Amino acid sequence: MSAPRSPAPHVALTGATGYTGRAFLRRVAALPQSWRVTALVRSPLAQPPPFVRQVVGELPDELPEAFPPRDATVLVHLASEHRETDRARLQAVNVDGTRAVLDRLPPSVRSAVHGSSMSVYGQGAQEYVAESAPPAPATPLARTRLAAERLVLEAMRRRDGGAYMLRPRFLPGAEDPSFLALATALRAMPLRLAPDQVRLSVMDVDDYAEAIVRLVARAHNSALGGTAVRRVLNVAYRKPLTLRELFDIAPPPARAPVRLLPPQTVIRAAALLPGHRARRLATFLELATRSHWADVRALEHEIGSDLTAKSPAAVLRARRGEANER
């Protein structure tokens, strides 16, 4: 006689209309056992899946009474602001918005999965960085991401619930071709690069969504069993993508530049110039010309290694092939 199936989770989802939120809903739609999802949305989805109930609102000040729902069991918090130029907005959405959702959680929510970022480790080079590395957020965005992590962890600790804080770095996907476009832009700059020495943690956004789904199920079942795990998890493929592999996949620039300038000289100069464009250039070069490579053994302990064992170069090549066919 087979064991009884655990009841499916009821997910309270923020960020449903965002890049990762849409990927999460695509993955939930493919599950053999239906989940319920109550999604906080700024404006209604044009064609919501049948398992989604939409609640219109916005973080932090327009959180309606219907969200989070009174019978939700898991919070999946993917809503965030990314615009570095608006620090007040970063604080409002990423920190105050997180606090507002947590303050309204019903007692039935015993676990949370929160989408954060490897940016909390800082802008410097990271070689096989583990979750035990001390945070060193160097940008307003990274500081608000770390603050949101701490709010979620503390809220779940107070209710003896489980929590997974997810720290991906690069999440390319079919809906966002900017990763390859940025690689082309980098190749066009007159920089002296060491492309074999720069290693980047990457995971396709749909594989990231699969990881979230597995962690939601794991957290939900653990809560039903009376146990709670609270962990920070790096999320990426096990093998990093080298800058050379990325250059080989990305469309080439129209003209190969003369490589004269050390990247660090350009980074320091851009950081001293006024204006948000110069700051954005400095941040981009910090990310693209230094290794940002994470140890994902803790993630593999939670969800297995079939996702993480994929080749990032092979995944990106397949994505580019799909784009060329469209």
Side-chain angles (χ1 to χ4, degrees):
M1 185 174 180
S2 60
R5 178 179 289 183
S6 299
H10 180 182
V11 174
L13 173 66
T14 69
T17 58
Y19 179 56
T20 57
R22 294 193 303 271
F24 174 75
L25 290 179
R26 287 195 298 270
R27 181 63 195 99
V28 173
L31 292 174
Q33 181 185 14
S34 295
W35 290 7
R36 282 195 295 160
V37 175
T38 299
L40 181 69
V41 296
R42 291 181 182 177
S43 56
L45 295 164
Q47 294 180 314
F51 57 85
V52 174
R53 174 191 172 215
Q54 300 185 80
V55 177
V56 177
E58 188 172 353
L59 300 179
D61 299 323
E62 299 178 26
L63 193 60
E65 285 294 327
F67 192 90
R70 295 302 92 190
D71 59 345
T73 57
V74 183
L75 171 67
V76 176
H77 186 35
L78 302 178
S80 65
E81 177 60 63
H82 303 277
R83 290 174 292 183
E84 287 278 6
T85 56
D86 192 341
R87 297 190 181 193
R89 182 68 179 165
L90 289 173
Q91 173 69 28
V93 175
N94 297 352
V95 182
D96 299 340
T98 299
R99 184 182 292 110
V101 171
L102 294 171
D103 287 347
R104 293 272 295 276
L105 287 182
S108 56
V109 173
R110 297 296 309 282
S111 51
V113 177
H114 171 58
S116 184
S117 167
M118 271 184 67
S119 65
V120 302
Y121 295 122
Q123 295 295 100
Q126 295 142 19
E127 291 283 351
Y128 204 51
V129 64
E131 293 87 350
S132 58
T139 65
L141 173 58
R143 287 190 283 272
T144 59
R145 286 192 178 281
L146 182 61
E149 279 190 19
R150 290 172 171 169
L151 287 171
V152 176
L153 283 168
E154 175 59 21
M156 290 299 108
R157 185 196 63 78
R158 286 198 305 266
R159 60 178 62 204
D160 195 27
Y164 291 113
M165 304 294 102
L166 309 187
R167 293 177 177 174
R169 180 67 278 182
F170 295 105
L171 296 169
E175 292 184 334
D176 182 14
S178 63
F179 186 59
L180 292 178
L182 289 173
T184 297
L186 181 62
R187 285 180 69 183
M189 294 180 181
L191 302 176
R192 291 206 306 265
L193 300 169
D196 292 319
Q197 297 174 24
V198 177
R199 292 174 283 198
L200 306 173
S201 274
V202 174
M203 180 172 273
D204 184 88
V205 71
D206 286 309
D207 285 334
Y208 180 52
E210 169 65 16
I212 295 173
V213 165
R214 294 186 191 186
L215 290 167
V216 168
R218 187 170 177 84
H220 176 68
N221 291 332
S222 295
L224 292 176
T227 61
V229 176
R230 292 181 290 275
R231 301 193 73 173
V232 172
L233 297 173
N234 296 329
V235 184
Y237 300 127
R238 182 192 310 152
K239 182 180 182 294
L241 181 76
T242 68
L243 200 55
R244 184 176 299 281
E245 288 173 320
L246 180 57
F247 284 172
D248 289 343
I249 299 165
R255 180 181 299 175
V258 178
R259 305 216 172 267
L260 299 173
L261 301 173
Q264 294 312 307
T265 300
V266 180
I267 292 169
R268 286 192 292 270
L272 294 173
L273 293 174
H276 70 272
R277 290 186 178 179
R279 290 194 300 272
R280 286 178 61 187
L281 174 61
T283 300
F284 166 64
L285 292 178
E286 286 275 8
L287 290 177
T289 64
R290 290 178 170 177
S291 289
H292 294 274
W293 173 29
D295 175 359
V296 296
R297 287 176 295 179
L299 176 68
E300 291 176 338
H301 176 79
E302 298 293 329
I303 66 168
S305 60
D306 58 311
L307 281 181
T308 59
K310 292 183 179 182
S311 161
V315 171
L316 279 175
R317 285 193 192 95
R319 282 295 192 196
R320 187 180 178 195
E322 292 170 4
N324 291 339
E325 291 175 1
R326 286 196 291 269

